[in-house]
């Protein structure tokens, strides 16, 4: 009887990992779950060419910024 009370108390589950594992193994809802492993971050991202980044940076740096907050 003490074990079922411990399994229903989340604070006891946090300090007693064996109870957590036992509760997981007995869980019918977890046994019925369908699982799919998705690993989209495992694929390397295509790298941008360094030359195009340098050209973009140069273009941005060449733009003159006009501060229009002060009336002329």
């Amino acid at each position: 009887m003490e074990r079922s009370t411990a399994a229903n108390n989340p604070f006891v589950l946090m300090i007693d990992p064996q109870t957590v594992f036992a509760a997981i193994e007995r869980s019918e809802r977890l046994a019925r779950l369908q699982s799919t492993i998705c690993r989209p971050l495992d694929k390397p991202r295509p790298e941008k060419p360094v030359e195009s980044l340098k050209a973009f940076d140069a273009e941005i740096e060449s733009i003159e910024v006009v501060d229009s907050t002060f009336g002329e």
Side-chain angles (χ1 to χ4, degrees):
M1 184 184 268
E2 185 178 314
R3 264 209 183 306
S4 64
T5 305
N8 293 330
N9 185 341
F11 297 105
V12 173
L13 291 176
M14 288 192 302
I15 59 174
D16 186 9
Q18 293 304 325
T19 305
V20 173
F21 293 130
I24 290 171
E25 290 174 3
R26 288 191 312 267
S27 173
E28 292 177 17
R29 290 176 69 192
L30 286 176
R32 289 190 309 246
L33 279 177
Q34 302 258 339
S35 65
T36 303
I37 298 174
C38 299
R39 300 181 188 265
L41 298 177
D42 288 350
K43 296 178 183 175
R45 293 175 51 188
E47 301 222 1
K48 295 182 181 180
V50 177
E51 290 78 26
S52 65
L53 289 177
K54 287 181 181 178
F56 176 76
D57 287 343
E59 182 180 344
I60 296 298
E61 293 295 327
S62 68
I63 297 174
E64 183 178 338
V65 177
V66 178
D67 188 1
S68 62
T69 59
F70 298 107
E72 289 185 29

